[in-house]
Amino acid sequence: MARVAVVTGGTRGIGEAISLVLQEQGFTVVANYAGNVEKAKAFTERTGIPAVRWDVGDHETTFHNCVDIAARFGPIDVVVNNAGVTRDGVLHKMSFDDWNEVMRINLGGCFNMAKATFPGMRDRGWGRIINIGSINGQAGQYGQVNYAAAKSGIHGFTKALAQEGAKFGVTVNAIAPGYIDTDMVAAVPAPVLEKIVAKIPVGRLGHAEEIARGVAFLASEEAGFVTGSTMSINGGQHMY
Ligand code: NDP
């Protein structure tokens, strides 16, 4: 029977590409999303992949939705923690809400998903948790203390949980994308984006599918010896 993979924020951008590539690899994929119902509906019509709406920053709701997905589709063997938001601003203009929301969704979402699925993976002796970090969590970024802290936290979370899962066949890895041509990057002002592209040795933004191919490898049987690692996919912008 096909293994079940849940992709948070899986209906658009990088998450959509991840959902599609995992489907192509033979997984039964369920995509989560936050509130963009039109995009989610169009995604399901196009791909046949079910989309389930909930806020991954909410602990209880995440737990109940994972129980429900397991009951409908089978035990969750692969989790891709991809859902993420930005609330950018320099520190003196950043509100506590901006800080909290980014920590709650980007980092708290990883904890909530792991709490709901890691024990089952451990009991069954197989699992894959793949967390989407960021180049800005590795290197920092002006105007993003909240986002950089949350993404940097994801890299620490990955290494700690990898140690807990290793003996039980559960690998935990991160991918740190550089700048990828999605809605999130479309929100960056053009002059700022030009300066960013100028710093990418490969000379262009990345494509969502280039991140998804890394996820597919980490989710595969062949990647069983890879755990606690961070795969940087950034066109050479930050060599870590
Ligand atoms: P998008 O903004 O294009 O999509 C974000 C996705 O996350 C959407 O599906 C959205 O749902 C979902 N989402 C947001 N908040 C929540 C929530 N509380 N609960 C559940 N789902 C939620 O983002 P990208 O595709 O650009 O980014 C995907 C991931 O990659 C993020 O973690 C981001 O930080 C990271 N990343 C992106 C980079 C880039 O250059 N684009 C670079 C480095 C990292 P809905 O559609 O309903 O709003």
Side-chain angles (χ1 to χ4, degrees):
M1 220 175 70
R3 293 190 187 278
V4 175
V6 176
V7 183
T8 70
T11 55
R12 63 185 172 96
I14 294 172
E16 173 173 6
I18 294 170
S19 296
L20 286 170
V21 167
L22 290 181
Q23 183 189 50
E24 176 201 288
Q25 299 295 307
F27 292 94
T28 298
V29 179
V30 179
N32 145 272
Y33 70 105
N36 202 325
V37 180
E38 289 310 311
K39 286 227 169 166
K41 266 192 190 162
F43 164 83
T44 298
E45 276 164 22
R46 216 170 37 246
T47 63
I49 297 172
V52 187
R53 179 181 180 177
W54 84 85
D55 173 5
V56 294
D58 186 294
H59 189 70
E60 299 288 314
T61 316
T62 299
F63 188 84
H64 292 307
N65 276 284
C66 288
V67 170
D68 190 48
I69 288 169
R72 286 169 63 196
F73 300 98
I76 300 169
D77 284 331
V78 177
V79 167
V80 185
N81 285 311
N82 165 78
V85 295
T86 51
R87 298 279 188 278
D88 293 353
V90 288
L91 182 75
H92 65 275
K93 289 188 180 161
M94 186 177 287
S95 67
F96 181 66
D97 276 356
D98 294 334
W99 165 263
N100 222 22
E101 195 61 355
V102 168
M103 296 303 282
R104 190 184 74 81
I105 295 171
N106 296 14
L107 185 54
C110 294
F111 176 78
N112 295 337
M113 284 299 295
K115 279 293 279 186
T117 59
F118 180 81
M121 294 178 187
R122 203 184 118 119
D123 291 348
R124 292 187 301 279
W126 199 94
R128 301 280 187 263
I129 295 180
I130 299 146
N131 303 314
I132 306 301
S134 170
I135 189 173
N136 293 350
Q138 296 171 309
Q141 176 63 36
Y142 184 92
Q144 285 197 325
V145 292
N146 50 1
Y147 185 85
K151 291 298 188 181
S152 180
I154 283 179
H155 297 302
F157 175 92
T158 298
K159 292 178 208 170
L161 192 59
Q163 294 177 34
E164 294 185 26
K167 279 201 174 62
F168 301 95
V170 183
T171 67
V172 187
N173 291 288
I175 290 187
Y179 284 79
I180 311 298
D181 53 4
T182 67
D183 294 349
M184 189 178 269
V185 163
V188 176
V192 177
L193 203 54
E194 259 173 45
K195 283 187 191 153
I196 290 170
V197 173
K199 286 186 194 151
I200 303 175
V202 168
R204 62 168 174 85
L205 295 175
H207 305 308
E209 195 188 326
E210 293 173 309
I211 305 303
R213 293 287 162 199
V215 172
F217 169 66
L218 293 172
S220 70
E221 293 294 335
E222 293 74 20
F225 201 58
V226 184
T227 197
S229 77
T230 295
M231 187 190 286
S232 296
I233 306 180
N234 61 24
Q237 190 182 350
H238 180 69
M239 300 186 186
Y240 203 70

